[in-house]
Amino acid sequence: MSNPVFFSGAGSLDQLVPGARFTLQGPEARHAVTVKRLAPGESVDIADGAGRRLTGTVVSTSPSELTVECTKLAMEDQPGIRLVLVQALAKGDRDELAIETATELGIDAVVPWQSERSIVRWKGERAAKAHAKWQSVVTAAAKQARRAWIPEVRAVVETPGLVAAVAAADLAVILHEDAVRPLRSVLEAWQAGLPAGQGPREILLIVGPEGGISPREVTRLCDVGAVTALLGHHVLRSSTAGPAAVVLASDVLGRLNAPTS
């Protein structure tokens, strides 16, 4: 069974070596001690959210501190092909469910998209609070999945901003019920055409709101390079399409078999 994971700040583990002790403080330490009830002698992982993972043994606890003796340090590389979920804002927390599940399944970043048909709107002070909530959701999901990387929640975009992101992406795929080509074949054809020896790449997986992506938005996105793809014979909810695409893409791209450092 894998060790429970708790997050420290980015860079907090950089100077550690095996045999050193690290003290986790704050809410994560309280969760480890009061909720998980970790005790001296138990194994635990501490990750900085940016790929570095400490594996060690608890040596002492207090209500707000967890001290661990390091037995191993590892830096887990990001995949060569990163998956980014562009999730349209949706009502009833369906968008939060989508990013939570996608994080557990391995998404690398998420982009909140205020599409034409999104009922939910992020404006003013609400936008900052909503963005913070999304970051909290993906952090908790990364912790549940025992990941060393916490996915980045990028700034909310409206359709003009998404058009610019699609134009700059290595591949942008609109998950659409009227598409002809299956997502698998789209990804396989793209991967087969990649030149060898180049740097990391990024794929945008674009999911619309409950009412679907408007025809005008599909046209604008496809005009700058996006392609449409079909996930299957059935119409999925906005909370389901993204996670389903993450699993399929991870399989096609060989990410499910990639070892961690």
Side-chain angles (χ1 to χ4, degrees), residues 49-105:
R52 191 170 296 277
R53 183 191 300 267
L54 174 159
T55 297
T57 303
V58 177
V59 293
S60 67
T61 65
S62 73
S64 60
E65 289 187 348
L66 180 79
T67 299
V68 177
E69 182 173 316
C70 173
T71 56
K72 179 183 176 182
L73 283 165
M75 182 65 196
E76 299 177 10
D77 295 331
Q78 296 229 53
I81 300 176
R82 288 165 49 83
L83 298 177
V84 178
L85 175 60
V86 179
Q87 177 65 49
L89 304 185
K91 64 182 181 179
D93 297 334
R94 292 196 181 279
D95 47 15
E96 293 178 11
L97 178 59
I99 64 171
E100 176 183 53
T101 308
T103 297
E104 293 176 4
L105 294 170

Side-chain angles (χ1 to χ4, degrees), residues 90-146:
K91 64 182 181 179
D93 297 334
R94 292 196 181 279
D95 47 15
E96 293 178 11
L97 178 59
I99 64 171
E100 176 183 53
T101 308
T103 297
E104 293 176 4
L105 294 170
I107 200 72
D108 299 299
V110 297
V111 178
W113 173 32
Q114 195 160 275
S115 68
E116 290 181 5
R117 293 178 174 174
S118 290
I119 297 173
V120 174
R121 295 282 153 177
W122 287 12
K123 296 293 185 182
E125 184 177 332
R126 178 179 181 178
K129 290 182 178 179
H131 185 276
K133 179 67 181 299
W134 274 40
Q135 188 64 67
S136 176
V137 168
V138 301
T139 298
K143 183 175 177 179
Q144 164 66 32
R146 291 159 167 72

